Amino acid sequence: MNNLPRAEYRTVVVGGGIVGLFSAYHLARAGAGPILVLDRGFLSSGASGRNGGGVRQQWETRATVRLAREAVRDYRRFGREFGYNPWFRQTGYLFLAESADELARLRRVHDLVRSEGLASEVLAADALSRYVPGIAPGSAVGGTYLRSDGVLYPFPAIWGVYEAARALGVDLAFGVEVLGIDSEAGRVTGVRSSAGPVATTSVVNAAGGWSSDVARRAGLDVPNVATRHEILATEPLKPFLDPMVVRASDGLYFSQTVHGGLVGGLTLPHPAGTAAGLPSSAKFLTAMARALVGLLPRLRSLRVLRAWSGFYDDTPDGLPVIGEDPRLGGFVHANGFGGHGFMLAPAATRRVARAVLGERTDLEPELFAPDRFLAPRLPSTAERLLLG
Amino acid sequence: MAGAPTRRFRYRGRVVEAREGETLLAAIARDALPTLERSTRYHRPRAPFCGIGQCTGCLVRVNDEPLVRACRYHPGEDDRVENGPGWPSVRWDALVVLDLIFRRGLDPFRGFRRPAVAGPIYQRLVRRLAGYGAPAPVSGRATEAVPPVVRSAEVVVVGGGESCRATAARLVTLGYRPLVLDRDRRPGLVGADWLGGVSVTLLGPRVDEGAELPFRLLGHAETGAGLSVRARSVVVATGGYDASLLFGGNDRPGVLTADAALAFSSAPERAPFGQALLVGGDRRAEEVLARLGSRVAAVIAVGEVRPEVVRAASDLGIPLYPRSLLLGVIGRTRVRGLRLRTRGGGPRFSLAGDAVVLAHRRIPNAPLLFLAGAEMAWHAGPGAYYPVLDAAGTTSVPGLYAVGTVTGTLEPARREGAERAAFAIAGRAASDSEALPRVRAEGPSELEGYYRELLTEPRRGRWIACRCEDVLLHDLETANRGGYRGLEVVKRYTSLGTGLCQGRYCTPDALLILSVLEGRPPSEVGRIRQRPPVYPMPLGTLAELDDSVAGEVG
């Protein structure tokens, strides 16, 4: 017996973040129920409720550009489809380059993005202040800008998919930890959870920062690594900044919400893994403040309201893992999104649902399939434009 | 005081004088409580509420710098002070139509979806109206770089009130020279290093455990200087603050906490009200009566009234209304009275008054303890989380002590508690000392029953659950009906507790309301995880602090 609505499900999705919810939603729409979503925390407690809300289509790999372009279309019509307005604001992503080398790299991204039909622009140093009013002179040598990129509020997006999945009959259980995944003859047979066991023939691992833990509970070794990233929000100012601004050198990124507060982060080297929990560090607050004030000196008196942190789910090649694990039938990966689960979820999870149903997807297996890490050599293609 | 130096500044174009040591708020609130800004969603008039620099009731612009707390700011000569947001002005704000049109509330996440083509227009419109003013020019007053204060100390005491003084005084007699960090500017203590006007916003031992000086405190002074302190032991004596209460029109100018009311009491004849309706029947109400007696028109209590309060009120000839439900404020732009009902289905009645002073519940000011990772436990009596302590006042974090109001220790044992902490730091803790009497931990909270009864009453006007973000009681009920449960989830669903006070004034009552709505005890509804900094901290100040020392919180 268990404390869950049923004893048997066709699919159990592990992780009730945006990737797990969207996966369950697409599966339910395909009529592949009954479906159960399990999450160890509360709704929105993971990275889906902790990110900066950026949605961009500027990437180094063509496949990611295409997924992101599809996701942007999904978020544009999200309000009509899901009944919640995530205030998806397409006012662009601006990548800043601090050196000629960085600018050359951004130009390569720009060429790729343009070849996919997106109107990316290269900006000269003197054009930057049009997009970032008050930017300190000399702080960047140029940048790239794509207006159809944007930012959204993550929470209403979560509520929308959560309610849509529920309306389609998906069962969701929060505060329930997956303890083990049972298999027989190389196929998934059930999930043991803190709320009791359930029988199932397919499991979707959408556990974000905890995805390697979940894989391990199925007896699978995966190269995913959880890394902690910190973020802060400030008091609300009158909106003066339209785009999301990203600086490649230190991973600084920030945007101004509809509300007026700045939300942003910066990359610091933290020990890998989820064991240390999600504290905030003094180092982040001071480093982030220095970076922001250095770039926009007039923000000196703006106050930090709060800081928090969340886990990226990183893979060795910077690309997500989507597809059935060759070692365990019925165990489908929907993880390794780094810090970009929210950006890619609506599009990527269509492929997750197809993978669960045993259908072919349009994803290049050498880029996304879990098999790629089983080969003796690491994959040759990698995505390295990972911050912001 | 004749001859006291004054400063002349301009408030909305006219010259105002502030005496030495007087805050901007005291200087501009001589005759009446001013409406200084409009609320974020419904553009309702807002006036000072908390009086201690935490709420969104007195945010003004000083020399073009937005978001200055008038109750904390000491005006300088020739300052230019303007009201906070309001369009075209705070007094006449055309957008108050939003308040009149959307009577049942305005849902930012389920609304504004149609027609789809209007999305960008809605976004531009909302952005046009959002925020508290443009970033200040680089030459603004508080923007100058001030070198940070960097200290190391054997013992740091955070506080400044009576228990802080008692601990510090005992430490001095034990041969220590404690460093006291006081958010206010109170007189110092011989033998102690006393820094007044500094806010400690971050306290963390996480990374430095085992180090010689394991604690790291960050903060800032009112001058904008940063503060970085390392310490071997830390005593948290941060006291308490007066909670809010939910009733119709509870955000109306004139509704204020006892903290705010008492901030005017150094000169009660100039308090910006003359007929206060005092809410509370306990020690805090007694204190307000003692200091503002002639300005109180009636004493209203949500529960029983202590004999001392009964006596004080009858001495002053002030009527008492124990066991009353507060239904709503009378008055459209400011408080003119209160509508009430005696509990248990008693008669409805109303009282006239020009202010509602909330002294019904004093709750611990405990964010630093949460941040430092001290174990906290729900105490049902006042309905708040207090630190888990041993008899010597040690928290679950070795080297971290708590004394005074923040611990819930009852008078007259607080002094004893303060001294015990000092002895424990000196390694002279008596091993057999008994635990001191503290606020009640078990049973139902007094206010739970109150709210259960209140929620069955018909409602008029807006009931503001979160003042900073204009979240309504109705929004909490909508979240509950949608299946969103637990304070953390409801916070994210409604934006409650995400504003400038970081949940100080909304979560204590929201917790009890949700407990009633969800049908489970408040401790199961949970709490919002405390985030750093405890007080909003300027980027410029943080940027000056060195980051060579580790330290993690939360």
Side-chain angles (χ1 to χ4, degrees), chain B residues 75 113 139 197 246 311 356 358 382 400 402 413:
Chain B
R113 291 183 296 119
S139 60
L246 265 160
R311 213 170 304 131
V356 177
L358 301 174
L400 181 66

Side-chain angles (χ1 to χ4, degrees), chain B residues 75-93:
Chain B
E77 189 74 25
D78 296 330
D79 272 353
R80 275 176 300 108
V81 180
E82 300 291 336
N83 281 339
W87 187 82
S89 77
V90 163
R91 184 128 184 238
W92 307 106
D93 187 328

Side-chain angles (χ1 to χ4, degrees), chain B residues 227-421:
Chain B
L227 172 82
S228 173
V229 176
R230 308 206 56 177
R232 187 173 68 82
S233 306
V234 175
V235 183
V236 174
T238 42
Y241 65 98
D242 295 300
S244 183
L245 189 68
L246 265 160
F247 50 89
N250 55 342
D251 63 330
R252 199 76 84 215
V255 177
L256 69 172
T257 67
D259 284 322
L262 291 175
F264 297 107
S265 72
S266 58
E269 75 284 358
R270 277 201 310 272
F273 47 80
Q275 265 193 296
L277 302 172
L278 174 61
V279 182
D282 221 324
R283 274 182 196 280
R284 187 63 170 167
E286 205 182 327
E287 204 176 329
V288 176
L289 270 182
R291 285 166 65 184
L292 292 173
S294 62
R295 305 230 141 203
V296 175
V299 177
I300 300 153
V302 300
E304 302 302 338
V305 178
R306 275 166 79 83
E308 291 86 344
V309 176
V310 175
R311 213 170 304 131
S314 77
D315 286 351
L316 291 160
I318 298 170
L320 276 172
Y321 300 90
R323 293 185 53 76
S324 299
L325 293 174
L326 280 78
L327 301 179
V329 158
I330 301 167
R332 289 200 68 82
T333 52
R334 59 186 183 82
V335 171
R336 295 181 192 282
L338 264 181
R339 288 182 295 110
L340 300 121
R341 180 171 197 183
T342 305
R343 290 182 65 180
R348 290 166 202 277
F349 59 103
S350 59
L351 295 173
D354 59 1
V356 177
V357 175
L358 301 174
H360 62 291
R361 176 156 78 131
R362 200 154 167 83
I363 47 184
N365 181 23
L368 280 178
L369 293 169
F370 278 111
L371 268 190
E375 195 185 329
M376 306 293 283
W378 175 255
H379 285 246
Y385 289 93
Y386 288 87
V388 173
L389 296 175
D390 68 13
T394 314
T395 67
S396 63
V397 178
L400 181 66
Y401 300 81
V403 299
T405 310
V406 76
T407 65
T409 304
L410 297 171
E411 289 289 21
R414 281 194 201 139
R415 185 175 183 89
E416 167 75 15
E419 299 215 341
R420 279 188 193 179

Side-chain angles (χ1 to χ4, degrees), chain A residues 17-95:
Chain A
I18 195 73
V19 172
L21 292 172
F22 256 124
S23 298
Y25 169 77
H26 287 309
L27 280 168
R29 290 241 309 192
I35 299 156
L36 172 68
V37 177
L38 296 178
D39 194 289
R40 63 198 295 280
F42 54 84
L43 180 61
S44 76
S45 60
S48 294
R50 295 169 176 273
N51 65 90
V55 179
R56 67 168 150 107
Q57 306 157 95
Q58 304 180 64
W59 300 88
E60 282 180 328
T61 45
R62 191 174 296 277
T64 317
V65 175
R66 289 181 177 171
L67 272 181
R69 195 177 52 192
E70 187 180 318
V72 163
R73 283 199 293 265
D74 288 323
Y75 280 129
R76 279 176 64 92
R77 56 163 192 262
F78 189 93
R80 269 167 293 161
E81 199 174 334
F82 291 92
Y84 278 83
N85 182 357
W87 293 87
F88 180 41
R89 185 162 53 90
Q90 289 179 282
T91 45
Y93 247 71
L94 174 62
F95 278 87

Side-chain angles (χ1 to χ4, degrees), chain A residues 44 79 84-85 87-88 163 166 228 235 238 241-242 259 276 278 280 282 286 290 300 302-305 307, chain B residues 69 108-109 112-113 123 127 130 133 143 206 482 484 492-493 502 529 532 537 539-540 543 547 551-553:
Chain A
S44 76
Y84 278 83
N85 182 357
W87 293 87
F88 180 41
E163 291 189 11
R166 237 174 25 163
R228 176 160 62 93
E235 293 184 340
K238 208 133 212 60
L241 177 73
D242 282 330
H259 207 58
L278 289 167
S280 294
T286 53
R290 258 197 292 282
R300 287 199 70 88
L302 180 62
R303 294 186 193 84
V304 177
L305 195 51
Chain B
R69 276 91 172 153
F109 293 146
F112 302 101
R113 291 183 296 119
Q123 288 173 357
R127 269 168 73 86
T143 60
R206 271 183 76 121
Y484 298 92
R492 289 161 173 80
Y493 191 82
Q502 297 194 73
R529 181 163 159 166
M537 195 165 170
L539 286 169
D547 60 357
E552 295 191 329
V553 295

